[in-house]
Amino acid sequence: MTRKPAPAITKQGMCQETPAVSIIITCYNYGQYVGEALNSVLNQTFTDWEAFVVDDGSIDNTADVVSRYLDDPRVRYVYQQNAGQASAKNTGIREAKGEFVAFLDADDIWQSEKLAMQLPLFSNPNVGVVYSKRRILDTNGVIQTFYHPPLHRGNVLDHMFIDNFVCFSSSIARRSILNDARGFDESLDMGIDYDLWIRLAARYEFDFVDAPLVTYRVGHTGQMSNKLLCRLDHAWKIMHKNLLNEKIATQISKKAKKRAFAMTHCTTGRAQLSSGNRYNAYRHFFLSACNDLTYMTLWKELVKIIIRRERNMY
């Protein structure tokens, strides 16, 4: 995939001072949500920040909604022709002046103490990224029961290669390391955070706040995460891409590589089965077992398939 041409950009608002944190909110046709995201930023107990709403060519009312917040000099609106989420986020990183960069998707919401609780963890100079737990909000505005996956701190590369456990809207990173990593890979349409975290985890430590500081909205049609098979295809690309980087590949244990392949094959098999492609599903289940026979999720999935087939026979 070739890189898109540099988009034309217009800006509104101006923040005169250098803040501690630059907040990047990228938006494409999320006018119905971005106001709540901005309100959660304005309600932060930590106030030394600037916020960029990077509008990636929206054709809805995003600009009108954001215009209501531009009286606050800390809030800026940046419009660019549609070039994709990676480009929009990189635009925000280039505009950022803070020592730290915090990411917030336009459909998510922060708890008021989020920045105040996370920033002290950067007192450890080895920490490059800090994140937190999340709450789940459904399309009816109801908080759902959510069994949070395990979180990891320190050297997390093995864990990250297996599965992206960082809620993107909870993440804060040092701006210097984002610049060193050259930001997000604009050749990717999905999984751009997973790719970035792998690259950063190979060089820096991660840490987290053990509290749900983000309300993560799920279920609406605009979410990239709804496109499961396409997302899995990008996961394969990202894993293979990073394994071609010797500096990264040599740091990932053989066990982690096998578990990552087993997990992704199993998830791909489940998705293929749901789409009616039984041959591809069983092929991926077989490859999952070839990589890691101890991956229990695979065996649970196969037991479910056997039970369903037995029930359909009677």
Side-chain angles (χ1 to χ4, degrees):
M1 184 180 296
T2 58
R3 286 183 181 273
K4 301 178 178 71
I9 295 175
T10 58
K11 307 174 186 178
Q12 295 180 27
M14 185 60 65
C15 184
Q16 300 294 335
E17 299 179 356
T18 301
V21 182
S22 296
I23 301 165
I24 298 174
I25 305 172
T26 56
C27 189
Y28 177 67
N29 292 338
Y30 272 6
Q32 62 181 317
Y33 301 121
V34 69
E36 287 185 82
L38 280 167
N39 285 335
S40 74
V41 170
L42 292 171
N43 288 333
Q44 289 299 297
T45 58
F46 181 90
T47 59
D48 187 13
W49 50 261
E50 63 178 353
F52 295 93
V53 178
V54 184
D55 185 344
D56 188 36
S58 295
I59 56 174
D60 66 353
N61 65 335
T62 293
D64 291 336
V65 173
V66 177
S67 67
R68 304 168 196 163
Y69 296 86
L70 296 179
D71 288 341
D72 190 318
R74 297 171 298 175
V75 179
R76 296 179 61 189
Y77 174 72
V78 180
Y79 178 88
Q80 67 175 35
Q81 296 173 9
N82 181 254
Q85 58 170 338
S87 171
K89 288 174 171 58
N90 285 339
T91 294
I93 293 170
R94 287 192 295 271
E95 294 290 327
K97 296 188 287 291
E99 180 181 358
F100 305 101
V101 173
F103 295 103
L104 173 59
D105 283 340
D107 56 334
D108 294 335
I109 304 165
W110 282 352
Q111 299 299 310
S112 61
E113 68 276 16
K114 178 188 182 293
L115 294 178
M117 292 183 68
Q118 288 181 284
L119 289 171
L121 298 182
F122 285 105
S123 61
N124 179 349
N126 297 319
V127 170
V129 178
V130 173
Y131 63 103
S132 77
K133 287 184 174 178
R134 62 188 180 272
R135 300 188 304 166
I136 301 298
L137 185 70
D138 69 14
T139 53
N140 296 317
V142 177
I143 297 295
Q144 295 296 300
T145 300
F146 178 57
Y147 298 99
H148 214 288
L151 303 183
H152 307 279
R153 57 168 47 98
N155 182 352
V156 302
L157 181 57
D158 272 5
H159 298 293
M160 182 58 67
F161 190 75
I162 293 170
D163 189 33
N164 180 7
F165 51 84
V166 172
C167 173
F168 184 72
S169 287
S170 78
S171 63
I172 306 176
R174 297 184 192 272
R175 181 163 62 93
S176 59
I177 74 173
L178 294 174
N179 289 332
D180 289 345
R182 298 183 180 180
F184 295 90
D185 184 344
E186 295 184 21
S187 73
L188 298 170
D189 295 319
M190 293 182 177
I192 61 172
D193 53 334
Y194 175 45
D195 173 67
L196 178 65
W197 301 148
I198 289 174
R199 290 185 279 128
L200 293 182
R203 300 176 60 185
Y204 308 98
E205 293 183 7
F206 282 46
D207 206 344
F208 66 90
V209 173
D210 192 16
L213 302 180
V214 172
T215 301
Y216 178 78
R217 198 186 303 268
V218 299
H220 57 86
T221 57
Q223 280 191 313
M224 298 288 279
S225 57
N226 290 334
K227 305 172 183 177
L228 180 57
L229 282 172
C230 188
R231 185 162 56 89
L232 286 164
D233 181 58
H234 278 74
W236 286 115
K237 291 178 182 178
I238 290 165
M239 285 191 290
H240 289 301
K241 166 198 167 185
N242 283 284
L243 288 176
L244 290 174
N245 185 325
E246 186 176 358
K247 291 182 180 179
I248 297 176
T250 55
Q251 295 185 61
I252 303 172
S253 70
K254 184 177 180 180
K255 181 178 180 181
K257 294 172 186 175
K258 286 184 173 294
R259 175 53 60 91
F261 289 143
M263 177 183 291
T264 311
H265 274 301
C266 182
T267 306
T268 304
R270 188 162 52 233
Q272 291 284 358
L273 198 62
S274 296
S275 66
N277 196 329
R278 186 171 296 179
Y279 172 79
N280 276 342
Y282 291 147
R283 181 173 64 87
H284 281 288
F285 290 144
F286 173 74
L287 292 171
S288 177
C290 289
N291 277 279
D292 188 352
L293 281 170
T294 68
Y295 183 50
M296 294 305 299
T297 300
L298 168 65
W299 300 112
K300 292 177 182 178
E301 189 66 31
L302 294 177
V303 168
K304 290 179 184 177
I305 293 171
I306 293 171
I307 292 173
R308 285 196 296 267
R309 290 186 65 182
E310 291 290 330
R311 286 176 178 172
N312 290 337
M313 291 175 64
Y314 297 98

